[in-house]
């Protein structure tokens, strides 16, 4: 097994042992749930931004549709985690197929705008459709079941559910970026015209990246109501997509670990600052400005920077 593989196993082992840490109350377990969920979705988005060079402002629609798929299934008496995830994959997959087909036919800012427009249409539909609860969404959902008689009804079980999702998403993303498909995505990011001249069907590869990223995000959305017991149109707002992008930038573009760190950092920072002041987004904006100006490679770049400095000192 490679060194990154061993490191990943060690990190996931530490995360699995996190609930045993002193002072891990119900509140901190749920905060850890949110941090890991946000980190996994940021990692999925980085397949588009960091590896393919496509900026999506519509990822919140995949997230929200996954949440609504779970809410609708649970509202009809089906509590199985696997049924909820299956419904989310179906709904998000069909929507992502349409979005990716039209959006990947354009480049640059037009791709970003098309994803945003599609997401706004979906948000408006759920916001003003009373069948799905309108602006209030679907509330009061029951606990999900992982297996017959095994409810996901405690913060500890919910934490391990999202940890399992993070591990699966990381394994899939790592397999994608290490494959020939992933190397072609990087080639498209560096020079799309050259990749096309080499004979690659650029739109097909970009659609593939969009679909993988969307489905992983949709699964994250499907898990969210199992923690919060609701799904609302606010999950599809463009501001939610902006927070995913901010998480990727904070952690570091073009990596798998960076966005996970960025998503966790953003979630914890938002929680702690919002408990002190109402204008917490000003603080978060200031942090983002500092990172963009002085740490363009994100938080993960700090480790690489210090590693190079220590290497020079040793030399």
């Amino acid at each position: 097994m490679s060194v990154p593989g061993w490191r990943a196993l060690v990190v996931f082992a530490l995360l699995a042992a996190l609930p045993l840490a002193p002072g891990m109350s119900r509140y901190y377990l749920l905060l850890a749930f949110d941090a890991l969920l946000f980190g996994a979705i940021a990692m999925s988005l980085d397949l588009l931004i960091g590896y393919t060079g496509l900026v999506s402002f519509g990822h919140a629609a995949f997230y929200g549709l996954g949440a609504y798929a779970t809410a609708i299934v649970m509202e009809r008496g089906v509590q199985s985690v696997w049924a909820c995830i299956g419904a989310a994959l179906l709904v998000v997959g069909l929507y992502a197929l349409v979005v990716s087909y039209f959006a990947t036919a354009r480049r640059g800012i037009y791709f970003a705008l098309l994803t945003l427009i599609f997401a706004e249409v979906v948000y408006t539909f759920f916001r003003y459709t009373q069948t799905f609860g309108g602006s209030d969404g679907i509330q009061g959902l029951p606990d999900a079941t992982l297996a017959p008689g095994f409810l996901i009804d405690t913060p500890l079980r919910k934490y391990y559910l999202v940890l399992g999702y993070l591990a699966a998403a990381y394994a899939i993303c790592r397999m994608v970026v290490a494959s020939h498909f992933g190397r072609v995505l990087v080639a498209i990011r560096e020079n799309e015209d050259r990749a096309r001249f080499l004979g690659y069907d650029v739109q097909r590869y970009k659609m593939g990246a969009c679909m993988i990223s969307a489905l992983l995000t949709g699964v994250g959305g499907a898990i969210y109501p199992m923690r919060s017991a609701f799904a609302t149109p606010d999950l599809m707002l463009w501001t939610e997509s902006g927070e995913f992008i901010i998480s990727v930038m904070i952690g570091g573009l073009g990596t798998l670990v960076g966005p996970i760190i960025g998503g966790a950092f953003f979630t914890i920072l938002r929680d702690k600052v919002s408990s002190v002041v109402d204008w917490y987004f000003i603080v978060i904006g200031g942090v983002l400005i500092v990172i963009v100006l002085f740490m363009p490679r994100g938080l993960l770049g700090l480790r690489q920077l210090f590693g190079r400095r220590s290497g020079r000192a040793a030399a």
Side-chain angles (χ1 to χ4, degrees), residues 179-247:
S179 66
H180 175 73
F181 178 83
R183 289 191 287 272
V184 174
L185 294 183
V186 174
I188 292 171
R189 179 195 69 192
E190 295 299 321
N191 195 318
E192 183 175 329
D193 292 329
R194 182 173 294 177
R196 185 176 286 108
F197 292 152
L198 288 173
Y200 293 108
D201 188 339
V202 169
Q203 184 176 8
R204 183 165 62 88
Y205 277 92
K206 290 197 292 187
M207 281 186 65
C210 285
M211 290 296 295
I212 295 170
S213 180
L215 290 173
L216 290 176
T217 302
V219 173
I223 291 174
Y224 179 75
M226 301 176 192
R227 173 252 194 268
S228 62
F230 66 81
T232 66
D234 289 345
L235 297 175
M236 304 180 189
L237 272 173
W238 64 270
T239 52
E240 195 78 15
S241 296
E243 290 177 3
F244 295 149
I245 295 173
I246 289 172
S247 298

Side-chain angles (χ1 to χ4, degrees), residues 106-181:
R106 299 292 182 265
R107 300 165 66 172
I109 189 63
Y110 299 103
F111 173 89
L113 289 176
L114 281 170
T115 58
L116 175 61
I117 290 168
F118 274 106
E120 286 299 297
V121 170
V122 173
Y123 165 74
T124 303
F125 173 79
F126 281 93
R127 172 69 173 75
Y128 295 102
T129 303
Q130 293 304 316
T131 304
F132 302 111
S135 60
D136 294 328
I138 301 175
Q139 308 279 342
L141 298 173
D143 292 317
T145 59
L146 189 64
F150 190 86
L151 284 172
I152 308 296
D153 57 351
T154 65
L156 181 63
R157 292 181 178 182
K158 292 174 183 180
Y159 172 80
Y160 281 121
L161 175 65
V162 78
L163 180 61
Y165 160 62
L166 175 62
Y170 176 80
I172 292 170
C173 289
R174 188 177 177 197
M175 181 174 62
V176 168
V177 301
S179 66
H180 175 73
F181 178 83

Side-chain angles (χ1 to χ4, degrees), residues 37-48 56 58-70 84-85 88-89 91-93 95-96 162 165 168-170 172-173 209-225 235-236 240-241 244-245 248:
L37 182 66
F38 226 77
I41 294 173
M43 177 183 62
S44 304
L45 176 58
D46 197 40
L47 282 179
L48 283 182
S56 170
H59 245 58
F62 306 133
Y63 181 58
L65 282 173
Y68 266 93
T70 288
C84 293
I85 291 176
L89 289 173
V91 172
V92 174
Y95 170 73
V162 78
Y165 160 62
Y170 176 80
I172 292 170
C173 289
C210 285
M211 290 296 295
I212 295 170
S213 180
L215 290 173
L216 290 176
T217 302
V219 173
I223 291 174
Y224 179 75
L235 297 175
M236 304 180 189
E240 195 78 15
S241 296
F244 295 149
I245 295 173
V248 174

Side-chain angles (χ1 to χ4, degrees), residues 5-20 159-160 163 167:
W6 280 112
R7 288 176 179 171
L9 285 177
V10 170
V11 170
F12 279 107
L14 292 174
L15 289 174
L18 183 63
L20 302 176
Y159 172 80
Y160 281 121
L163 180 61

